[in-house]
Amino acid sequence: MTTLHSRLRLLRELAPAWLAALWWGSLSTVGFLVVPMLFVYLPTPATAGSMAAKLFTAQTWVSLNCGLLLLLLTRPNQAEGHANHARGAIVFIVAGMLMALLSEFAVAPRIVARENLALWHRVGSGLYLLQWLCAGAAFWRLAASSRRAQV
């Protein structure tokens, strides 16, 4: 029974780092590989842009779900007597979620409406990059916390 309990505890301590890796990896794949390939291989920029918008919307929901689960998994446990090092990642998780929400609900509608397209595309790209950096920082902190838990 003790072995099962210790394995479950280890899984609970490693899960946030794996989830943050999923978030960061999905952002990396969609934003830096899949969407650029759409513009190379689809017949028109309009077709590629339409598909990219759908992928970015799906990525927003992946980001928000990962962020929400990370917040739930890294919340302070009152039963623990020691400080939880993973709490340092919370600011990056919340900031990344905010970037996703701003991109989806403030910037994307302006891009779809073709309203000052160059400006809003740069703003959206900047928010995506900031979200990617936040997810990476959260992953870095949570992975470091997981390594400390294993020792």
Side-chain angles (χ1 to χ4, degrees), residues 74-117:
T74 59
R75 73 183 188 278
N77 185 352
Q78 300 303 324
E80 294 179 16
H82 58 84
N84 184 355
H85 298 288
R87 279 184 252 156
I90 290 175
V91 70
F92 294 110
I93 296 166
V94 171
M97 292 173 71
L98 179 62
M99 298 302 138
L101 287 168
L102 286 171
S103 293
E104 182 66 22
F105 297 110
V107 176
R110 288 177 171 83
I111 292 173
V112 170
R114 304 190 62 78
E115 175 185 316
N116 200 350
L117 192 57

Side-chain angles (χ1 to χ4, degrees), residues 59-76:
Q59 180 59 53
T60 294
W61 295 111
V62 169
S63 295
L64 293 174
N65 283 307
C66 285
L68 182 61
L69 287 171
L70 283 168
L71 290 175
L72 290 172
L73 290 171
T74 59
R75 73 183 188 278

Side-chain angles (χ1 to χ4, degrees), residues 3-130:
T3 305
L4 178 62
H5 178 65
S6 63
R7 285 184 182 170
L8 288 174
R9 194 184 94 238
L10 182 62
L11 180 62
R12 167 109 165 77
E13 291 168 352
L14 295 177
W18 281 99
L19 190 56
L22 172 70
W23 182 19
W24 183 80
S26 67
L27 285 165
S28 299
T29 303
V30 168
F32 302 122
L33 179 66
V34 175
V35 168
M37 287 180 67
L38 293 176
F39 286 92
V40 171
Y41 292 108
L42 290 181
T44 66
T47 305
S50 177
M51 190 63 200
K54 291 176 176 124
L55 287 170
F56 284 131
T57 293
Q59 180 59 53
T60 294
W61 295 111
V62 169
S63 295
L64 293 174
N65 283 307
C66 285
L68 182 61
L69 287 171
L70 283 168
L71 290 175
L72 290 172
L73 290 171
T74 59
R75 73 183 188 278
N77 185 352
Q78 300 303 324
E80 294 179 16
H82 58 84
N84 184 355
H85 298 288
R87 279 184 252 156
I90 290 175
V91 70
F92 294 110
I93 296 166
V94 171
M97 292 173 71
L98 179 62
M99 298 302 138
L101 287 168
L102 286 171
S103 293
E104 182 66 22
F105 297 110
V107 176
R110 288 177 171 83
I111 292 173
V112 170
R114 304 190 62 78
E115 175 185 316
N116 200 350
L117 192 57
L119 169 70
W120 288 109
H121 188 270
R122 283 192 301 273
V123 171
S125 297
L127 288 172
Y128 195 88
L129 179 63
L130 288 172

